Amino acid sequence: MMNVSKKFATAVLVSSVCTNLYAQKPNVAAPVAQAMQFSNADQLKADIAYLADDKLKGRQPGTEGFQMAADYVIARMKSYGVQPAGENGGWLQQVRLRKAFTDKGAQVNLTINGQSAKLEYGRDVVIYPNPEAKSSSVSAPVVFAGFGITNLEQHYDDYASVDVKGKVVMVFRGAPESFPSSEVSHFMDMITIQKTAAQHGAVGVIIASADSTGRMANLSRGIYSVLDSKGKIVVSRSYYNNQIKSLAALNYSYVQQLLKGTGKSVKEVYAALKGGKSQSAMLNGVVFSANCNSTYQDINSFNVVGKISGTDPVLKDEYVVHSAHLDHLGISTPIQGDSIYNGAHDNASGVSSMLQIANIYSHLKVKPKRSILMVAVTGEELGDLGSGYFAARPTVPVKNMVADVNTDMPTIIAPLLSVTALGAEHSSLAKVVDEAAAYLDLSVEPDPEPKENRFVRSDQYSFVKEGIPALHIKYGSKTADGKNNLNEFVAQWRAKYYHKPQDDINGIFDFNAGAKYAQLNFLIGYMVANTKARPEWNKGDVFAVK
């Protein structure tokens, strides 16, 4: 049993001053500390084993296996006293997925100083499909806009010296090296790139290849979006709006040709951009023209939504969200004779952790002031689609969601000694994480793998884009032997198991670490739910304004 203060019956008192590594432990009320002990490693293992069983066939959205997983989660939530909070008083929120493809007959031309060249689709250029309009076209001058970033907080603006209104912008995906890793991830996001371009008046975007050895994006498997009931796109991983008539990717050789007019090579331009020196330039005499058709496949899926009601007469109408994605990759290319992508770690472990949070609440007689939402989302593997739809069109008023604590592949393969809180550094949630982690004798570290861009690769980012402070707890690097190189072991594990059929219940697990991970996520959410002030973005933060 952990060290417990008996002075307070229902509240968590947090210290006013803390740092990531030396936060003062909060005083946790006895009933809360006792309830946390019910986070159960054996039940966590059983839940993972069921959700990652072959009979669920990889939990792909729209399949019987995904339905079986949802039925299981609903039954487990019911057993913990969670109430339905989906549409029409039920457990589900419908999510209409659209898989869009670009017709291989797309016509793309690039005019350079009066000379027009027809680009070979798939080799020279690819065009992302349009999920709203079956036919789309654009023909406009091209402007080079560096990384396509406007970030006034960092005093950096690729659009400051060029007029892109009515034009197609060509950009590299990236950001200056001086940017924090989560901001790099955000500004590399395809939707962020297009949104910024549209705000400056552009009508198209070309993603330029900066690597002569790189391959063109393979769009043959389609790009997913989410429709509303009227057939309008609500969430997409590649489509922003109808102002951006074309989103294309252009190969290195043509990018090199286009940049010749600047007097610099791709290598020189990219190096200067990474150093924080904008290289934007008008590309005189360059016109990009594209005409293409898109085809669609529509799939019905859903999010599972449950609620634990708060106790404060006013704050109970506000919500702390615990999210975890229920889907995985289904049946795909065989590896070592196995074609079922079970997703035990990714993300049966995350959903099972969320169920353990519900288990803790079931043993807490006096619930927190705010209400708690448990949301098992669909379509994370397709581009954070279920969470994107829930964050934009929730089953509760969007303004009443105060924070999201997301759980995705906690990678419970070793004792949990330290964590990193992706996204927390942008808001007052960082302080909550520090204090909750200190209570559990966990240190909080910066992201040990910033180049993985994990901040934008999971469901917490959907909430951030809607202006809701959010975070995602991942492992740190601390190890029991003092070498503090867990990230190296994780990299080896990822190479063998991540997004492979080998990620099943027979892989590497530390279920006690999983139980402790659930305790940490519970305590973070509980502290937010029991504190009168809502979490706030840091002043001037890049995410402070939606």
Side-chain angles (χ1 to χ4, degrees):
M1 183 70 69
M2 300 178 185
N3 185 27
V4 174
S5 168
K6 297 184 179 180
K7 293 182 179 180
F8 305 95
T10 61
V12 175
L13 301 184
V14 298
S15 60
S16 58
V17 179
C18 66
T19 65
N20 277 354
L21 296 178
Y22 304 105
Q24 181 179 338
K25 288 187 179 183
N27 295 316
V28 176
V32 177
Q34 290 163 5
M36 288 173 63
Q37 302 311 304
F38 286 93
S39 183
N40 189 310
D42 291 337
Q43 184 59 57
L44 181 83
K45 178 180 179 180
D47 291 339
I48 295 172
Y50 179 85
L51 293 171
D53 193 281
D54 278 357
K55 65 186 177 184
L56 273 67
K57 299 180 181 179
R59 306 189 308 277
Q60 190 172 33
T63 65
E64 180 184 6
F66 185 85
Q67 180 70 59
M68 291 172 66
D71 290 343
Y72 182 84
V73 168
I74 291 169
R76 300 289 296 127
M77 284 190 180
K78 286 180 178 178
S79 74
Y80 294 135
V82 179
Q83 299 299 309
E87 295 170 336
N88 303 316
W91 287 94
L92 307 182
Q93 179 192 39
Q94 296 300 313
V95 179
R96 300 166 181 84
L97 301 172
R98 167 161 288 178
K99 189 177 184 181
F101 303 84
T102 301
D103 190 332
K104 292 182 180 179
Q107 301 291 314
V108 186
N109 290 77
L110 194 61
T111 301
I112 305 175
N113 295 324
Q115 299 295 316
S116 180
K118 183 178 180 180
L119 305 188
E120 182 177 333
Y121 188 83
R123 186 194 70 179
D124 302 328
V125 68
V126 294
I127 306 291
Y128 287 76
N130 187 318
E132 267 197 0
K134 290 189 175 182
S135 297
S136 59
S137 64
V138 68
S139 183
V142 179
V143 178
F144 178 62
F147 287 133
I149 293 173
T150 295
N151 185 353
L152 301 182
E153 183 68 16
Q154 295 287 342
H155 307 290
Y156 183 91
D157 188 359
D158 283 314
Y159 289 94
S161 62
V162 289
D163 177 10
V164 303
K165 188 173 182 179
K167 299 179 177 66
V168 172
V169 296
M170 183 176 77
V171 302
F172 292 120
R173 288 185 77 186
E177 292 178 346
S178 60
F179 280 29
S181 61
S182 58
E183 291 190 21
V184 172
S185 300
H186 170 67
F187 286 113
M188 287 178 64
D189 179 65
M190 296 286 255
I191 299 300
T192 302
I193 290 171
Q194 292 178 82
K195 180 179 179 180
T196 306
Q199 288 172 340
H200 289 280
V203 296
V205 172
I206 297 171
I207 304 298
S209 174
D211 184 357
S212 61
T213 64
R215 296 182 178 181
M216 298 302 297
N218 182 4
L219 307 182
S220 62
R221 294 187 177 183
I223 304 292
Y224 285 87
S225 304
V226 183
L227 306 167
D228 65 14
S229 59
K230 297 180 180 178
K232 296 296 183 182
I233 299 300
V234 178
V235 185
S236 178
R237 65 185 303 179
S238 63
Y239 173 79
Y240 176 58
N241 66 17
N242 59 12
Q243 179 181 327
I244 302 298
K245 306 296 184 185
S246 179
L247 172 64
L250 188 65
N251 76 4
Y252 180 86
S253 63
Y254 275 101
V255 173
Q256 186 81 291
Q257 288 186 51
L258 297 189
L259 289 181
K260 276 186 178 180
T262 68
K264 298 178 182 178
S265 67
V266 170
K267 184 177 180 180
E268 290 172 319
V269 169
Y270 194 80
L273 287 168
K274 293 299 286 184
K277 297 178 181 178
S278 182
Q279 301 292 296
S280 302
M282 304 298 294
L283 301 178
N284 296 324
V286 178
V287 177
F288 178 82
S289 302
N291 293 277
C292 68
N293 296 320
S294 300
T295 56
Y296 310 137
Q297 293 176 2
D298 291 345
I299 302 166
N300 289 321
S301 192
F302 51 82
N303 297 324
V304 177
V305 189
K307 180 177 73 171
I308 299 167
S309 296
T311 57
D312 185 89
V314 175
L315 294 181
K316 69 179 181 180
D317 291 328
E318 295 184 348
Y319 301 88
V320 176
V321 182
H322 285 280
S323 57
H325 76 88
L326 187 57
D327 65 305
H328 197 54
L329 301 175
I331 298 174
S332 190
T333 306
I335 298 177
Q336 299 177 15
D338 190 352
S339 61
I340 299 177
Y341 288 63
N342 305 81
H345 278 281
D346 186 18
N347 184 38
S349 67
V351 174
S352 300
S353 174
M354 187 172 69
L355 292 175
Q356 283 310 299
I357 294 171
N359 182 19
I360 294 171
Y361 273 110
S362 73
H363 290 88
L364 191 61
K365 290 184 178 180
V366 180
K367 303 303 189 278
K369 296 175 182 178
R370 288 189 176 89
S371 296
I372 306 295
L373 289 180
M374 303 275 180
V375 188
V377 298
T378 187
E380 188 273 348
E381 300 289 3
L382 306 177
D384 302 341
L385 298 181
S387 62
Y389 188 73
F390 184 83
R393 304 283 179 86
T395 56
V396 300
V398 65
K399 63 181 178 61
N400 289 5
M401 293 192 297
V402 304
D404 170 62
V405 180
N406 185 47
T407 303
D408 183 8
M409 202 174 77
T411 320
I412 47 173
I413 59 177
L416 187 64
L417 303 176
S418 64
V419 296
T420 185
L422 302 176
E425 71 273 20
H426 294 281
S427 73
S428 58
L429 291 175
K431 182 178 178 181
V432 181
V433 172
D434 288 342
E435 292 165 341
Y439 178 77
L440 291 166
D441 295 319
L442 296 167
S443 57
V444 181
E445 305 170 352
D447 185 0
E449 298 179 303
K451 292 184 179 180
E452 288 294 318
N453 294 323
R454 297 184 299 180
F455 174 62
V456 302
R457 289 174 53 195
S458 191
D459 295 307
Q460 72 282 344
Y461 187 55
S462 294
F463 292 86
V464 168
K465 289 192 291 186
E466 295 299 326
I468 301 165
L471 61 87
H472 173 20
I473 298 292
K474 295 287 279 187
Y475 58 86
S477 59
K478 193 173 182 180
T479 56
D481 60 9
K483 293 182 179 179
N484 299 332
N485 59 351
L486 181 60
N487 56 305
E488 296 177 9
F489 178 42
V490 170
Q492 296 170 8
W493 172 89
R494 187 188 298 117
K496 183 175 180 180
Y497 293 98
Y498 178 63
H499 279 191
K500 295 182 173 66
Q502 286 65 43
D503 179 17
D504 61 21
I505 194 62
N506 300 308
I508 303 170
F509 282 92
D510 185 325
F511 296 106
N512 288 323
K516 189 172 186 179
Y517 178 89
Q519 288 177 328
L520 175 61
N521 281 270
F522 158 80
L523 191 53
I524 292 168
Y526 181 85
M527 291 169 71
V528 173
N530 231 31
T531 302
K532 185 175 181 180
R534 296 169 64 123
E536 294 181 340
W537 296 108
N538 298 336
K539 186 177 180 180
D541 189 86
V542 67
F543 300 117
V545 179
K546 179 181 169 183

